[in-house]
Amino acid sequence: LRHEDSDVRWRAAEALGKIGNQEAISTLIKALRHEDSDIRWRAAEALGKIGNQEAISTLIKALRHEDSDVRWRAAEALGKIGNQEAISTLIKALRHEDSDVRWRAAEALGKIGNQEAISTLIKALRHEDSDVRWRAAEALGKIANQAAVSALIKALQDKDSVVRLRAAEALGKIANQAAVCALIKALQDEDSDVRRRSAEALGKIANQAAVSALIKALQHEDFSVRCSAALALGKIGNQEAVSALIKALQDEDSVVRYSAAFALGKIGNQEAVSALIKALQDKDSVVCRSAAKALGEIAGSEVLHYIWELKLKIPSWDKSDAISKIQERCKFYNHEICYSVLNEETNNADPLTSSLNTLNQRLKIMSEKPPVQMNFHAPITSSSVAGNVEGDNISTQNNYPSTEDIAKLETVLEQLLEKMEQDKPTVIDAQPIVAQAVESNPVLKNRQAIEQVIKNNPTLKVRLQRAVTAAGIETIKILFAPAGIPIEAFKAWYEPI
């Protein structure tokens, strides 16, 4: 404890608390007078871990120490010991002249949590010190004692907003039905934090009266109350809230719209699907993502193309797992997206949607043509090579691709991307698939041919984007590795057309 390094000193004090023998206790008692304040309060903390009679007596005396850090650490340590002598001392400490000691004593009594401590905390809700009152309310919430409900309801009228806030939180944790009326009234509290916490508390109580109050709270003038009410209704999962939450998707505040979409996803009612699809067009991207996430939780495969359009419009919007969640739940994969024709939109359709419609039409026509048969698992033989390869330098980067090369490459890439979409292989699994295809079709090594095909074939570009959704960009990159395609070029292809 006399070491020149302060870290060594306080670690020594901590170690003495673990040793706990008589010599350690004597050293720690002396350390309460150490010149280093850190050592003094660490000594008090260590004595609390030892917890024998001599340590308790020393800690009780330490409540009068000239160092305030030592005083409140002593109160905290007595709470950890928790015997009758410690409880009696802490009850008296609620009247200590040091406010830090008073509220630490209240906090310590909450951790002890026996009947005597609870009774004292209930009385402490009327303490003249607001710090003691809110610490008492917080402690009673953690204990979840039903006897404290009446006192906590009264505390919702406390002049200090922090006390009211903690009382609301505590009532939510206790989840007492008698508190509902008081919490509904607290939704009109002058303090916004109290209003918000009251809404959250009603969500935890979750009875019919609370649900009705939360539905009404979706119309509250305070956006934070509307937001908390929406989230609370989502946690409760009550079907009666669906209509009100759908209306909340039109709220003027984006945070409320986000919360409403999130809640609808949690409730899981199919009536919300249409409204959530419309919310995909919200001007706030955060709301769009929340709506997509909700659809990922509750919708069927019929909404996939809506989410896909959003993904194309916002390239950075690639962190959503909505598509994969729907596919996993419905066993519906991107192969179907590629070959489905989107419904013709009205005259208000945007250019992107019209372009996708045209491209999907072309995809369907191409899919009806007899494809080149490719077996990615059969042994490589001369008979297994799909089609005739003209020229003996087709893999040379400087060769300009022939018309036959371009046509063949389009077919090979279409089939490979389709396989990626269907199988969604990992990077490791994709490597042998691509290696087999390249062995059978050296045209896949021709960088100029690949770049020309991607540049001139918008249909293939859409297929590439969708394959990335199915198998992931790292997996698809394996396909273009033999041609030495740089990542910059690959990313450019992946951008929406």
Side-chain angles (χ1 to χ4, degrees), residues 256-318:
V256 178
R257 299 197 300 274
Y258 166 89
S259 302
F262 180 85
L264 287 167
K266 290 294 182 183
I267 294 174
N269 190 295
Q270 291 297 309
E271 292 180 14
V273 170
S274 297
L276 287 168
I277 290 172
K278 290 181 182 178
L280 291 174
Q281 305 300 322
D282 195 280
K283 60 185 178 181
D284 192 309
S285 62
V286 175
V287 179
C288 296
R289 291 176 185 176
S290 183
K293 184 176 178 64
L295 288 168
E297 298 291 341
I298 66 175
S301 58
E302 71 278 0
V303 306
L304 282 171
H305 69 273
Y306 293 105
I307 301 175
W308 178 252
E309 282 193 53
L310 180 63
K311 200 174 184 72
L312 288 179
K313 289 179 180 178
I314 310 174
S316 62
W317 195 77
D318 58 358

Side-chain angles (χ1 to χ4, degrees), residues 2-57:
R2 294 192 294 273
H3 198 280
E4 60 183 13
D5 189 331
S6 61
D7 285 345
V8 174
R9 293 196 297 270
W10 68 256
R11 287 185 185 281
E14 191 177 61
L16 288 168
K18 293 178 180 178
I19 294 170
N21 61 16
Q22 187 57 51
E23 185 177 0
I25 293 171
S26 299
T27 303
L28 288 168
I29 290 173
K30 291 178 182 178
L32 290 173
R33 297 291 176 183
H34 199 284
E35 60 184 8
D36 185 341
S37 62
D38 281 351
I39 299 302
R40 293 197 294 270
W41 69 255
R42 286 186 186 278
E45 192 175 64
L47 286 166
K49 292 178 180 178
I50 295 172
N52 69 1
Q53 187 56 51
E54 187 174 6
I56 292 171
S57 299

Side-chain angles (χ1 to χ4, degrees), residues 384-452:
S384 67
V385 178
N388 296 320
V389 179
E390 299 293 336
D392 57 1
N393 291 317
I394 194 164
S395 64
T396 304
Q397 293 286 337
N398 295 326
N399 259 6
Y400 289 101
S402 66
T403 303
E404 290 84 359
D405 291 341
I406 295 296
K408 179 177 177 169
L409 185 57
E410 285 185 349
T411 302
V412 172
L413 284 175
E414 287 280 356
Q415 291 188 332
L416 264 175
L417 290 173
E418 179 180 335
K419 185 169 182 62
M420 297 296 185
E421 292 162 12
Q422 288 179 312
D423 295 352
K424 297 196 293 186
T426 63
V427 173
I428 294 175
D429 293 335
Q431 287 174 341
I433 295 174
V434 173
Q436 180 73 36
V438 171
E439 189 71 27
S440 301
N441 302 275
V443 69
L444 287 170
K445 297 180 182 179
N446 192 323
R447 174 174 172 175
Q448 289 181 338
I450 290 175
E451 289 179 339
Q452 185 171 332

Side-chain angles (χ1 to χ4, degrees), residues 161-433:
S161 63
V162 178
V163 178
R164 300 196 300 275
L165 182 153
R166 298 299 182 190
E169 283 184 338
L171 289 167
K173 291 176 181 178
I174 296 172
N176 188 282
Q177 309 298 317
V180 172
C181 292
L183 287 167
I184 291 173
K185 187 176 180 180
L187 290 175
Q188 304 303 324
D189 192 279
E190 63 184 19
D191 186 89
S192 62
D193 286 336
V194 176
R195 296 194 295 267
R196 177 169 57 85
R197 296 301 174 91
S198 297
E200 291 172 0
L202 286 167
K204 292 177 180 178
I205 295 173
N207 69 359
Q208 185 56 49
V211 170
S212 299
L214 288 168
I215 290 174
K216 290 180 181 178
L218 290 174
Q219 304 296 323
H220 200 282
E221 60 184 9
D222 182 351
F223 86 92
S224 67
V225 173
R226 300 197 300 274
C227 174
S228 296
L231 293 174
L233 288 166
K235 289 179 181 179
I236 295 171
N238 190 289
Q239 299 294 322
E240 293 181 23
V242 171
S243 297
L245 287 167
I246 289 174
K247 290 180 181 178
L249 289 173
Q250 305 298 321
D251 194 278
E252 62 183 14
D253 189 274
S254 62
V255 179
V256 178
R257 299 197 300 274
Y258 166 89
S259 302
F262 180 85
L264 287 167
K266 290 294 182 183
I267 294 174
N269 190 295
Q270 291 297 309
E271 292 180 14
V273 170
S274 297
L276 287 168
I277 290 172
K278 290 181 182 178
L280 291 174
Q281 305 300 322
D282 195 280
K283 60 185 178 181
D284 192 309
S285 62
V286 175
V287 179
C288 296
R289 291 176 185 176
S290 183
K293 184 176 178 64
L295 288 168
E297 298 291 341
I298 66 175
S301 58
E302 71 278 0
V303 306
L304 282 171
H305 69 273
Y306 293 105
I307 301 175
W308 178 252
E309 282 193 53
L310 180 63
K311 200 174 184 72
L312 288 179
K313 289 179 180 178
I314 310 174
S316 62
W317 195 77
D318 58 358
K319 295 182 179 179
S320 171
D321 59 354
I323 289 177
S324 61
K325 279 192 173 183
I326 293 172
Q327 291 181 158
E328 183 178 353
R329 186 173 63 256
C330 301
K331 306 302 179 187
F332 187 100
Y333 299 99
N334 281 35
H335 170 76
E336 295 296 335
I337 297 178
C338 292
Y339 287 95
S340 65
V341 180
L342 300 180
N343 292 330
E344 291 295 334
E345 302 291 342
T346 63
N347 294 331
N348 294 326
D350 59 83
L352 172 64
T353 303
S354 299
S355 175
L356 281 175
N357 287 338
T358 303
L359 290 174
N360 275 291
Q361 294 274 12
R362 291 177 61 187
L363 279 170
K364 185 175 182 182
I365 293 170
M366 288 182 66
S367 70
E368 294 170 353
K369 294 181 179 179
V372 177
Q373 297 301 316
M374 298 176 66
N375 187 344
F376 297 104
H377 303 289
I380 302 171
T381 66
S382 59
S383 62
S384 67
V385 178
N388 296 320
V389 179
E390 299 293 336
D392 57 1
N393 291 317
I394 194 164
S395 64
T396 304
Q397 293 286 337
N398 295 326
N399 259 6
Y400 289 101
S402 66
T403 303
E404 290 84 359
D405 291 341
I406 295 296
K408 179 177 177 169
L409 185 57
E410 285 185 349
T411 302
V412 172
L413 284 175
E414 287 280 356
Q415 291 188 332
L416 264 175
L417 290 173
E418 179 180 335
K419 185 169 182 62
M420 297 296 185
E421 292 162 12
Q422 288 179 312
D423 295 352
K424 297 196 293 186
T426 63
V427 173
I428 294 175
D429 293 335
Q431 287 174 341
I433 295 174

